[in-house]
Coordinates of all heavy atoms in Angstrom, one line a residue:
Y293 N 130.2 71.0 152.2 CA 129.4 71.2 153.4 C 128.0 71.6 153.0 O 127.0 71.3 153.8 CB 130.0 72.3 154.3 CG 131.1 71.7 155.2 CD1 132.4 71.8 154.9 CD2 130.7 71.0 156.4 CE1 133.4 71.3 155.7 CE2 131.7 70.5 157.2 CZ 133.0 70.6 156.9 OH 134.0 70.1 157.7
W294 N 127.8 72.1 151.8 CA 126.4 72.4 151.3 C 125.6 71.1 151.3 O 124.4 71.2 151.4 CB 126.5 73.0 149.9 CG 127.1 72.2 148.9 CD1 128.4 72.2 148.5 CD2 126.5 71.1 148.1 NE1 128.7 71.2 147.5 CE2 127.5 70.6 147.2 CE3 125.2 70.7 148.0 CZ2 127.2 69.6 146.3 CZ3 124.9 69.6 147.1 CH2 125.9 69.1 146.2
L295 N 126.2 69.9 151.0 CA 125.5 68.7 151.0 C 124.9 68.3 152.4 O 123.7 67.9 152.5 CB 126.4 67.6 150.5 CG 125.7 66.2 150.3 CD1 124.5 66.3 149.4 CD2 126.8 65.2 149.7
I296 N 125.7 68.6 153.4 CA 125.1 68.4 154.8 C 124.0 69.3 155.0 O 122.9 69.0 155.5 CB 126.3 68.6 155.8 CG1 127.4 67.5 155.6 CG2 125.7 68.5 157.2 CD1 128.6 67.8 156.5
D297 N 124.2 70.6 154.6 CA 123.1 71.6 154.8 C 121.9 71.2 154.1 O 120.8 71.4 154.6 CB 123.6 73.0 154.3 CG 124.7 73.6 155.2 OD1 124.9 73.2 156.3 OD2 125.4 74.5 154.7
L298 N 122.0 70.7 152.9 CA 120.8 70.3 152.1 C 120.0 69.2 152.8 O 118.8 69.3 152.9 CB 121.3 69.9 150.7 CG 120.2 69.6 149.7 CD1 120.6 70.0 148.3 CD2 119.8 68.1 149.7
I299 N 120.7 68.2 153.2 CA 120.1 67.1 153.9 C 119.4 67.6 155.2 O 118.2 67.3 155.4 CB 121.0 66.0 154.2 CG1 121.5 65.3 152.9 CG2 120.4 64.9 155.1 CD1 122.7 64.4 153.0
V300 N 120.1 68.4 155.9 CA 119.5 68.9 157.2 C 118.3 69.8 156.9 O 117.3 69.7 157.6 CB 120.6 69.7 158.0 CG1 120.0 70.4 159.2 CG2 121.7 68.7 158.5
S301 N 118.4 70.6 155.8 CA 117.2 71.5 155.5 C 115.9 70.7 155.3 O 114.9 71.2 155.6 CB 117.6 72.4 154.4 OG 117.6 71.7 153.1
Y302 N 116.0 69.5 154.7 CA 114.8 68.8 154.5 C 114.2 68.2 155.7 O 113.1 67.7 155.7 CB 115.1 67.6 153.5 CG 115.0 68.1 152.0 CD1 116.1 68.4 151.3 CD2 113.8 68.1 151.4 CE1 116.0 68.8 150.0 CE2 113.6 68.5 150.1 CZ 114.8 68.8 149.4 OH 114.6 69.2 148.1
Q303 N 114.9 68.2 156.8 CA 114.4 67.6 158.1 C 113.4 68.5 158.7 O 112.7 68.1 159.6 CB 115.6 67.3 159.0 CG 116.6 66.4 158.5 CD 116.1 65.2 157.8 OE1 115.3 64.4 158.4 NE2 116.5 64.9 156.6
C304 N 113.2 69.7 158.2 CA 112.1 70.6 158.6 C 110.7 70.1 158.2 O 109.7 70.5 158.7 CB 112.3 72.0 158.1 SG 113.8 72.8 158.8
H305 N 110.7 69.2 157.2 CA 109.5 68.7 156.7 C 109.1 67.5 157.5 O 109.9 66.5 157.5 CB 109.6 68.3 155.2 CG 110.0 69.4 154.3 ND1 109.0 70.4 153.9 CD2 111.2 69.8 153.8 CE1 109.7 71.3 153.1 NE2 110.9 71.0 153.1
R306 N 108.0 67.5 158.1 CA 107.6 66.5 159.1 C 107.6 65.1 158.5 O 108.1 64.1 159.1 CB 106.2 66.8 159.6 CG 105.7 65.8 160.6 CD 104.4 66.3 161.3 NE 103.7 65.2 162.0 CZ 104.0 64.8 163.2 NH1 105.1 65.2 163.8 NH2 103.3 63.8 163.7
E307 N 107.0 65.0 157.2 CA 107.0 63.6 156.6 C 108.4 63.0 156.3 O 108.5 61.8 156.3 CB 106.1 63.7 155.3 CG 106.7 64.5 154.2 CD 106.4 66.0 154.3 OE1 105.8 66.5 155.3 OE2 106.8 66.7 153.4
I308 N 109.3 63.9 156.1 CA 110.7 63.4 155.9 C 111.4 63.1 157.2 O 112.0 62.1 157.4 CB 111.5 64.5 155.1 CG1 110.9 64.6 153.7 CG2 113.0 64.1 155.0 CD1 111.4 65.7 152.9
N309 N 111.2 64.0 158.2 CA 111.8 63.9 159.5 C 111.3 62.6 160.2 O 112.1 62.1 161.0 CB 111.6 65.1 160.3 CG 112.3 65.1 161.6 OD1 111.8 64.6 162.6 ND2 113.6 65.6 161.6
L310 N 110.1 62.2 159.9 CA 109.6 61.0 160.6 C 110.3 59.7 160.1 O 110.2 58.7 160.8 CB 108.1 60.9 160.3 CG 107.2 61.9 161.1 CD1 105.8 61.8 160.7 CD2 107.4 61.7 162.6
E311 N 111.0 59.8 159.0 CA 111.7 58.6 158.5 C 113.0 58.5 159.3 O 113.9 59.3 159.2 CB 112.1 58.8 157.0 CG 110.9 58.7 156.1 CD 110.3 57.3 156.0 OE1 111.0 56.3 156.4 OE2 109.1 57.2 155.7
R312 N 113.1 57.5 160.1 CA 114.3 57.4 161.0 C 115.5 56.9 160.3 O 116.7 57.1 160.7 CB 114.0 56.4 162.2 CG 112.9 57.0 163.1 CD 112.5 56.1 164.2 NE 113.8 55.9 164.9 CZ 113.8 55.6 166.2 NH1 112.7 55.6 166.9 NH2 114.9 55.4 166.8
F313 N 115.3 56.3 159.1 CA 116.4 55.8 158.3 C 116.3 56.4 156.9 O 115.3 56.1 156.2 CB 116.5 54.3 158.2 CG 117.7 53.7 157.5 CD1 118.8 53.3 158.3 CD2 117.7 53.6 156.2 CE1 119.9 52.8 157.7 CE2 118.9 53.1 155.6 CZ 119.9 52.7 156.3
Q314 N 117.2 57.2 156.5 CA 117.1 57.9 155.2 C 118.4 57.6 154.4 O 119.5 57.7 155.0 CB 116.9 59.4 155.3 CG 115.7 59.7 156.1 CD 115.6 61.2 156.4 OE1 116.3 62.0 155.8 NE2 114.9 61.6 157.4
V315 N 118.3 57.3 153.1 CA 119.4 57.1 152.2 C 119.4 58.3 151.2 O 118.4 58.5 150.5 CB 119.3 55.8 151.5 CG1 120.5 55.7 150.5 CG2 119.3 54.6 152.4
W316 N 120.5 59.1 151.2 CA 120.6 60.2 150.3 C 121.6 60.0 149.3 O 122.8 59.8 149.6 CB 120.9 61.5 151.1 CG 119.8 61.9 152.0 CD1 119.5 61.4 153.3 CD2 118.9 63.0 151.8 NE1 118.4 62.1 153.8 CE2 118.0 63.0 152.9 CE3 118.7 63.8 150.7 CZ2 116.9 63.9 152.9 CZ3 117.6 64.7 150.7 CH2 116.7 64.8 151.8
D317 N 121.2 59.9 148.0 CA 122.1 59.6 146.9 C 122.2 60.9 146.0 O 121.2 61.3 145.4 CB 121.6 58.5 146.0 CG 121.6 57.1 146.7 OD1 122.7 56.8 147.3 OD2 120.6 56.4 146.7
L318 N 123.4 61.4 145.9 CA 123.8 62.5 145.1 C 124.3 61.9 143.8 O 125.3 61.1 143.9 CB 124.8 63.4 145.7 CG 125.3 64.6 144.9 CD1 124.2 65.6 144.7 CD2 126.5 65.2 145.5
K319 N 123.8 62.2 142.6 CA 124.2 61.6 141.4 C 124.3 62.6 140.3 O 123.4 63.4 140.1 CB 123.2 60.5 141.0 CG 123.6 59.7 139.8 CD 122.6 58.6 139.5 CE 123.0 57.8 138.3 NZ 122.0 56.7 138.0
R320 N 125.4 62.5 139.6 CA 125.6 63.4 138.4 C 124.7 63.0 137.3 O 124.7 61.8 136.9 CB 127.1 63.3 137.9 CG 127.4 64.3 136.8 CD 128.8 64.1 136.3 NE 129.8 64.2 137.4 CZ 130.3 65.4 137.9 NH1 130.0 66.5 137.4 NH2 131.2 65.3 138.9
V321 N 124.0 63.9 136.7 CA 123.1 63.7 135.6 C 123.8 64.0 134.3 O 123.8 63.2 133.3 CB 121.8 64.5 135.7 CG1 120.9 64.3 134.4 CG2 121.1 64.2 136.9
Q322 N 124.5 65.1 134.2 CA 125.4 65.5 133.1 C 126.2 66.6 133.5 O 125.8 67.5 134.4 CB 124.6 65.8 131.9 CG 123.7 67.1 132.0 CD 122.9 67.4 130.8 OE1 122.2 66.6 130.3 NE2 123.1 68.7 130.3
D323 N 127.4 66.7 133.0 CA 128.4 67.8 133.3 C 128.3 68.2 134.8 O 128.7 67.4 135.6 CB 128.1 69.0 132.4 CG 128.3 68.6 130.9 OD1 129.1 67.8 130.6 OD2 127.5 69.2 130.1

Side-chain angles (χ1 to χ4, degrees):
Y293 275 99
W294 61 266
L295 183 55
I296 296 172
D297 293 339
L298 185 145
I299 295 169
V300 169
S301 72
Y302 273 98
Q303 303 313 305
C304 295
H305 302 280
R306 181 173 166 76
E307 65 278 2
I308 295 171
N309 188 269
L310 288 174
E311 291 293 338
R312 295 180 57 148
F313 187 95
Q314 301 172 21
V315 176
W316 291 82
D317 290 313
L318 178 68
K319 185 176 181 181
R320 184 183 309 273
V321 177
Q322 67 181 52
D323 300 326

